[in-house]
Amino acid sequence: MSQPSDNSAGNADRFDVARAQKPFPLARLLLWAVILAVSVDFGLTVAGNPNFGWPVVAAYFFDPTVMEGLYITLGLTVVAMILGVALGLILAIARMSDDKLAGSLSALFIWFFRGTPLLVQLIFWYNLSTLFPKISLAIPFGRALVSWNTNDIITPLTAAIVGLALNEAAYMAEIIRGGLLSVDKGQGETAAAFGMTRARALRRIIIPQAMRSIIPPTGNQLISMIKATSLVSVIAMADLLYSVQSIYNRTFEVIPMLLVAVLWYLLITSVLNIGQSAIERHYSRGDRGDAPKNEAAANPAGVQDLAQENA
């Protein structure tokens, strides 16, 4: 009578392992139950607390004054981000260039605006007339060609845009520079070998590849910008926070009106988070096997095709 072979025993062991069930996660379920219970209890406590003034929150959530402040907040965010990204791209390219003067000036700009608080910068721009009563265009060491009163130019709106945009440009410059450095140097060298100018190589080859590294921190900066616009309330700019402050200065409903602002900020940032996730998925398609769709911009062969197209 033949004995069972070692191979049969090994198959039996593998069969048992395959059919084995994971232990019941009792501890994890208990932890989730405790967290859920605490969360529900906290939510009911907050919802049932009359000191939060939920009826006041509901009454003023779409108040015209609040909505005007919301539009200003969104407008400031869009304008400051567009200017910040455009200037940041220029600063990043200047800092990475072989020109020492351009690199030094770019580094100095980034050092100053990243190293000083945004609130101080906004107050400085708003009070610029105390230092320079007039803004002039003049020949160096010569007479002024044209002059304007500083107070006519530096309004709360222009002070807010300039302050937010310049501060954002300093941060975006480092984000963009990091993204450009993440692209293989061989891409630019191959483009130059095929006769492409540096500007065209940046626009067609390097920047599209760098977007995968640039998009996530840029999304974070956009969300930070939404919240940073609340600082312009100190220079009498009627943004969302300033609007709710003007209401609770009349009604003395401080907490409910601050909750109105908080809920609007949370709603906006939630929408931006969804948009950021969608954009990240778009630029990370190559990591999920969709690289063939972007071959022209993702490898040196694509550089050759673009170079032939340029010729």
Side-chain angles (χ1 to χ4, degrees):
M1 183 173 181
S2 61
Q3 298 292 330
S5 65
D6 294 339
N7 190 26
S8 299
N11 291 336
D13 291 340
R14 285 197 295 272
F15 178 78
D16 292 339
V17 171
R19 297 189 61 180
Q21 296 181 354
K22 293 182 179 179
F24 187 72
L26 179 60
R28 180 176 297 181
L29 288 177
L30 288 175
L31 178 60
W32 274 104
V34 171
I35 294 174
L36 181 61
V38 171
S39 301
V40 171
D41 180 67
F42 178 77
L44 293 175
T45 301
V46 171
N49 190 337
N51 295 323
F52 282 94
W54 296 113
V56 178
V57 174
Y60 282 95
F61 195 72
F62 293 104
D63 185 82
T65 303
V66 174
M67 298 307 294
E68 289 177 7
L70 177 63
Y71 296 148
I72 291 175
T73 291
L74 295 176
L76 279 177
T77 301
V78 171
V79 173
M81 278 302 299
I82 291 174
L83 295 177
V85 170
L87 182 56
L89 177 61
I90 296 172
L91 290 170
I93 294 173
R95 191 168 184 187
M96 294 176 63
S97 70
D98 297 329
D99 190 325
K100 291 185 177 181
L101 177 60
S104 299
L105 291 176
S106 175
L108 181 63
F109 180 98
I110 294 170
W111 166 78
F112 179 81
F113 284 98
R114 289 178 67 198
T116 54
L118 175 58
L119 180 60
V120 175
Q121 296 174 29
L122 290 170
I123 295 173
F124 171 81
W125 287 111
Y126 184 63
N127 294 281
L128 188 64
S129 61
T130 61
L131 298 175
F132 304 101
K134 289 184 177 295
I135 297 178
S136 303
L137 292 177
I139 300 173
F141 306 105
R143 60 185 298 271
L145 301 177
V146 60
S147 298
W148 302 273
N149 289 325
T150 304
N151 283 329
D152 295 337
I153 298 177
I154 305 299
T155 63
L157 177 61
T158 55
I161 291 175
V162 171
L164 292 172
L166 293 181
N167 182 266
E168 187 63 23
Y171 287 93
M172 285 305 305
E174 290 299 279
I175 291 173
I176 294 172
R177 185 171 72 92
L180 295 177
L181 289 175
S182 69
V183 179
D184 187 0
K185 291 183 179 180
Q187 300 286 310
E189 295 172 356
T190 305
F194 281 101
M196 296 183 69
T197 64
R198 179 173 175 78
R200 187 173 179 84
L202 279 170
R203 181 169 57 88
R204 298 294 300 276
I205 305 298
I206 298 175
I207 291 179
Q209 295 181 67
M211 291 298 289
R212 188 179 303 175
S213 300
I214 292 173
I215 287 296
T218 301
N220 294 334
Q221 283 298 117
L222 178 58
I223 292 173
S224 297
M225 174 64 73
I226 285 283
K227 296 177 290 185
T229 55
S230 62
L231 296 176
V232 303
S233 62
V234 302
I235 59 173
M237 187 68 195
D239 71 314
L240 178 58
L241 181 60
Y242 186 89
S243 298
V244 300
Q245 287 175 333
S246 67
I247 294 175
Y248 73 60
N249 285 335
R250 292 194 320 264
T251 65
F252 302 103
E253 300 282 359
V254 178
I255 298 300
M257 295 312 304
L258 289 178
L259 283 174
V260 170
V262 167
L263 291 175
W264 271 118
Y265 283 124
L266 286 174
L267 179 61
I268 296 169
T269 54
S270 299
V271 173
L272 292 177
N273 278 327
I274 295 172
Q276 178 183 348
S277 299
I279 296 174
E280 287 180 13
R281 286 194 299 270
H282 172 76
Y283 281 102
S284 63
R285 288 179 304 175
D287 295 335
R288 302 196 305 270
D290 296 330
K293 297 179 182 179
N294 297 319
E295 282 183 358
N299 53 62
V303 177
Q304 181 176 1
D305 295 339
L306 288 172
Q308 293 174 353
E309 177 185 317
N310 186 34

